[in-house]
Amino acid sequence: MGKVVGRRGFLVAGAVGGSGLLLRRAFQPLPADASPVHDPGHGRGHGRGSADVPVTPPLEKFVDPLPRPVSAVPDPSVYPGADYYEITMRESEWCFHRDLDPAPVWGYWAGNPHDPDRPLGMGYLGPTVNATKGRPAVVKYRTELPADRHMFQFVIDRIREGDPRLAPPRYHGMPSLPPDVNVWNVVHQHGGFTPPQSDGAPMQWFSPEGVRGPFYTTLDPGKTAPNEAICVYTNRERSAMLWYHDHAMGITSLNVYAGLAGLWLVDDPADERLGLPRGEFEIPLILQDRTFNEDGSLAYTLAHAEGADTPVVNGKAYPFLAVQPRRYRLRILNGSNERFWRLRFHADGDAAPEVFLPFWLIGTDGGFRAPLRMLNFLISPAERYDLVIDFGRVPPGTTVTLRNYNAPVHYPGGGGPEISEVMQFRVTEPMPEGGDPTTPPEELALRPVEPIRPRPGTRRRQWVVHQKAAFHGMTFNGVPFMAPSEDFVAAGSSEIWEYVNPNHEAHPMHVHLVNFQVLNRQPIDATAYRDAFRKWLDGGRVPADRPVLEHYVTGPPIPPDPDEAHSWKDTVKVYPESVTRIVIAEFAPPTGRIASIPGSGTEFPATYIQHCHILEHEDDDLMRPWTIVTERT
């Protein structure tokens, strides 16, 4: 795992498949007073926990219909030429399953310009923002969450106490978390082409009581209260499914687990000509795993175990969806904190002509790609897959189960609770007259993504996943997140980034602002490289003495996986014992005024971040800033 001992479970002494030896340790549960359930004095949970990891009570599968997140309604009158939203973070109740009681959750609620007394949301997660390509959006975020105590306060308390399994090391004595605040938030539009002041970086947080982080920013400050921030989004991305989620320093994992995530769809009106399934036949699926206490409340178990034990899709455990025998478009987000999923569609019943139903991949994180026929796919946290599947290939009455297999929580060598069934599609709805009017996926007129071809001499930048010792957090290049930016990128330039992972598990790496393409991967002698890199760090990080990566490769470059080749990505799987190379065509943030708001465009130097999207790793320091400058350095 990334933070090999810490919020997870085991340590590495060597490398998988290499000369070293992989040593796993038993989980070291927190003491009984560090319960992963809610404190009974605050009306949540079922009382004082024990040293055992909570387990979800037995649930009958496939008895709850799949919810569909509501859509936020914009107000176009506030900022001319832009859509305006007010999105508030609140605590409310949500029932995750028929056999569980409603329980406290956190979620986003959108203001309703047509009826201010009826905000839009479910309680858990957030409403979907349906944006139009090229039309800016302005969002006022507000937090009205309980300020006195976090839903998972026991984790915050342990971090403040310096528990080495939870707390990253302090940088020059700075506290890991704000000392006098228990709840703080900031919202990141994941995948967005966004100026840095609206990026939702971790230190831009603000609290329900109006306490603000050191880099808090807001546009139009005269229109914000202390517990609010205004951000602006260009929506100049390709037609794609983005998402938005909490990104607060040190507690992103807790806030997202509590429910703070939602979808952001950028739609190009020109896509209507493609003949894709739309409306009720375009289904968003937010995949998560959660563990529940006996009373139905969320049990945050990831402080001392790998992954949660129950699949949750759009906020329901083991849901089902009744479908017609026709083509559907599935917009899939892996919204889990740390679980990888390997998914396939299993057609149940003797009359089904195929055991595993094929589908077509038509898009990834950054938009459309040439259709690719597939039978299964591996999706890491934060990745998105855009699929077309034809339920007309099976007889009416067939049940198609979305199954998960051969995907440990920390892929490929981790453990955690196994989840084999996720949800069901029941082909029970009648087909209306006229049949299926959509275009067969193999005939879709989707323009292939042209590969980025790096020029000779394109700058290469290395990010080494490093852990100093057991019970230490992981970092990039041995540098904590709080240290000033050391990586300066020339505006308008192209670069190749090399993620060097000498450890035994994969990391989903996300880069803010840009889309990129996967260039290749190459195996390395992980043990030798790790030893040399540690020696270099201990020797003072002299640039001329840095280990030369090419001296440690053990085989030729490997092309991208078929589902990521010729695709636009903002999150990439960095596999173990290898270097993963991505190529970024151009670093060019939006510089002009957006939505006519002064100060809304990018000013240089412009700092963004990149990080592991296993949220517990991100919180534990596997995150670094990088800065765009107007002159090459």
Side-chain angles (χ1 to χ4, degrees):
M1 50 187 290
K3 180 175 181 180
V4 179
V5 178
R7 293 201 191 187
R8 286 307 144 281
F10 41 82
L11 61 90
V12 178
V16 177
S19 59
L21 176 67
L22 173 64
L23 300 179
R24 301 196 182 193
R25 67 174 181 86
F27 291 123
Q28 296 184 4
L30 297 175
D33 61 349
S35 170
V37 300
H38 296 294
D39 185 288
H42 288 75
R44 306 181 189 130
H46 57 77
R48 185 181 178 91
S50 69
D52 296 328
V53 177
V55 176
T56 297
L59 301 176
E60 186 175 351
K61 297 178 182 178
F62 317 127
V63 295
D64 287 300
L66 175 77
R68 184 164 185 155
V70 301
S71 293
V73 176
D75 185 344
S77 67
V78 179
Y79 291 91
D83 290 330
Y84 176 71
Y85 303 86
E86 291 191 3
I87 295 181
T88 302
M89 295 163 254
R90 294 194 179 101
E91 183 175 282
S92 57
E93 286 196 335
W94 177 253
C95 182
F96 286 94
H97 189 274
R98 180 197 68 183
D99 299 335
L100 297 173
D101 291 334
V105 294
W106 289 359
Y108 296 110
W109 293 81
N112 186 345
H114 304 310
D115 189 347
D117 295 328
R118 299 183 65 183
L120 303 168
M122 300 194 309
Y124 184 73
L125 300 176
T128 299
V129 176
N130 294 282
T132 301
K133 179 178 172 61
R135 181 175 174 84
V138 181
V139 183
K140 176 186 284 188
Y141 294 109
R142 178 184 303 112
T143 176
E144 295 180 353
L145 293 168
D148 60 332
R149 186 173 179 83
H150 198 284
M151 186 175 292
F152 309 115
Q153 186 68 33
F154 80 99
V155 179
I156 294 175
D157 292 343
R158 286 290 170 180
I159 293 173
R160 286 181 172 148
E161 292 167 6
D163 189 320
R165 292 163 293 188
L166 300 177
R170 294 189 174 194
Y171 177 69
H172 292 310
M174 297 175 63
S176 301
L177 303 178
D180 300 318
V181 184
N182 286 327
V183 176
W184 59 98
N185 307 95
V186 69
V187 183
H188 169 57
Q189 185 202 50
H190 183 118
F193 180 66
T194 308
Q197 60 270 39
S198 294
D199 189 46
M203 302 300 284
Q204 293 174 329
W205 58 263
F206 51 102
S207 81
E209 297 173 313
V211 181
R212 294 170 171 179
F215 298 131
Y216 166 87
T217 60
T218 184
L219 301 175
D220 236 349
K223 296 183 178 180
T224 56
N227 64 330
E228 297 175 340
I230 292 178
C231 297
V232 65
Y233 304 106
T234 65
N235 293 322
R236 283 162 49 187
E237 300 80 20
R238 303 168 190 86
S239 179
M241 185 171 82
L242 315 182
W243 61 303
Y244 63 100
H245 60 82
D246 193 90
H247 213 314
M249 181 63 195
I251 59 169
T252 295
S253 56
L254 306 181
N255 293 346
V256 172
Y257 196 92
L260 294 180
L263 298 179
W264 188 295
L265 301 180
V266 178
D267 185 40
D268 188 339
D271 296 343
E272 294 186 15
R273 62 177 173 76
L274 296 173
L276 288 167
R278 300 178 67 86
E280 64 177 303
F281 308 109
E282 182 179 5
I283 310 297
L285 300 176
I286 304 173
L287 272 58
Q288 299 174 311
D289 57 330
R290 296 291 184 264
T291 298
F292 302 101
N293 297 308
E294 291 286 344
D295 65 354
S297 61
L298 286 165
Y300 182 80
T301 59
L302 309 186
H304 50 233
E306 291 184 74
D309 62 14
T310 303
V312 172
V313 187
N314 294 357
K316 284 293 180 181
Y318 300 108
F320 72 88
L321 178 68
V323 297
Q324 298 177 14
R326 55 158 292 161
R327 286 181 283 272
Y328 280 73
R329 185 181 181 187
L330 306 181
R331 312 292 295 272
I332 300 177
L333 160 68
N334 183 352
S336 301
N337 279 38
E338 55 186 35
R339 181 180 288 271
F340 285 61
W341 303 85
R342 186 186 295 278
L343 300 171
R344 59 187 175 189
F345 298 87
H346 186 272
D348 302 312
D350 295 337
E354 297 171 308
V355 175
F356 298 111
L357 197 60
F359 56 88
W360 292 80
L361 176 68
I362 64 168
T364 53
D365 308 340
F368 290 125
R369 52 152 295 151
L372 176 68
R373 187 180 187 273
M374 303 183 71
L375 288 174
N376 63 77
F377 63 99
L378 177 70
I379 184 170
S380 68
E383 287 188 298
R384 284 90 69 207
Y385 277 61
D386 193 349
L387 312 179
V388 173
I389 187 168
D390 188 357
F391 294 110
R393 299 178 69 103
V394 297
T398 300
T399 296
V400 178
T401 303
L402 182 61
R403 294 182 180 270
N404 177 50
Y405 72 105
N406 290 349
V409 174
H410 289 274
Y411 183 84
E418 182 178 350
I419 296 175
S420 60
E421 295 178 309
V422 180
M423 67 170 292
Q424 280 189 350
F425 301 88
R426 298 174 181 171
V427 190
T428 56
E429 297 298 295
M431 175 76 82
E433 292 185 11
D436 187 348
T438 63
T439 304
E442 62 270 29
E443 299 176 13
L444 284 170
L446 297 177
R447 182 178 298 177
V449 174
E450 291 295 325
I452 303 172
R453 304 189 185 280
R455 297 179 180 179
T458 297
R459 181 165 184 171
R460 293 176 180 252
R461 195 176 300 272
Q462 289 182 4
W463 304 96
V464 179
V465 180
H466 171 72
Q467 184 187 28
K468 183 177 181 180
F471 293 98
H472 284 247
M474 292 199 106
T475 62
F476 285 115
N477 297 338
V479 182
F481 169 71
M482 295 294 290
S485 176
E486 296 180 342
D487 292 273
F488 299 94
V489 179
S493 66
S494 176
E495 291 195 357
I496 294 171
W497 285 13
E498 298 179 317
Y499 286 99
V500 185
N501 181 10
N503 301 305
H504 77 284
E505 70 165 350
H507 298 273
M509 299 304 187
H510 170 51
V511 186
H512 287 210
L513 176 68
V514 298
N515 277 187
F516 53 77
Q517 293 178 16
V518 182
L519 191 60
N520 58 48
R521 296 180 175 90
Q522 202 164 6
I524 63 171
D525 183 338
T527 301
Y529 183 86
R530 183 170 53 246
D531 291 345
F533 192 80
R534 287 175 177 170
K535 183 177 179 181
W536 177 70
L537 292 177
D538 293 341
R541 304 178 76 234
V542 178
D545 296 335
R546 181 168 181 154
V548 178
L549 178 63
E550 287 72 17
H551 295 171
Y552 298 89
V553 298
T554 58
I558 301 169
D561 295 338
D563 53 344
E564 64 188 2
H566 306 293
S567 298
W568 290 110
K569 301 284 294 175
D570 59 46
T571 305
V572 61
K573 305 176 191 76
V574 173
Y575 293 133
E577 298 183 326
S578 65
V579 53
T580 298
R581 299 184 179 94
I582 63 173
V583 56
I584 300 161
E586 185 180 27
F587 292 89
T591 54
R593 181 178 292 190
I594 305 167
S596 302
I597 300 176
S600 55
T602 301
E603 296 183 1
F604 298 101
T607 295
Y608 294 88
I609 63 172
Q610 53 94 25
H611 57 86
C612 177
H613 224 285
I614 293 176
L615 298 183
E616 283 67 28
H617 292 181
E618 170 188 334
D619 285 343
D620 285 351
D621 238 19
L622 195 51
M623 178 166 58
R624 280 293 291 154
W626 52 276
T627 302
I628 303 175
V629 295
T630 54
E631 296 181 1
R632 184 178 295 274
T633 60

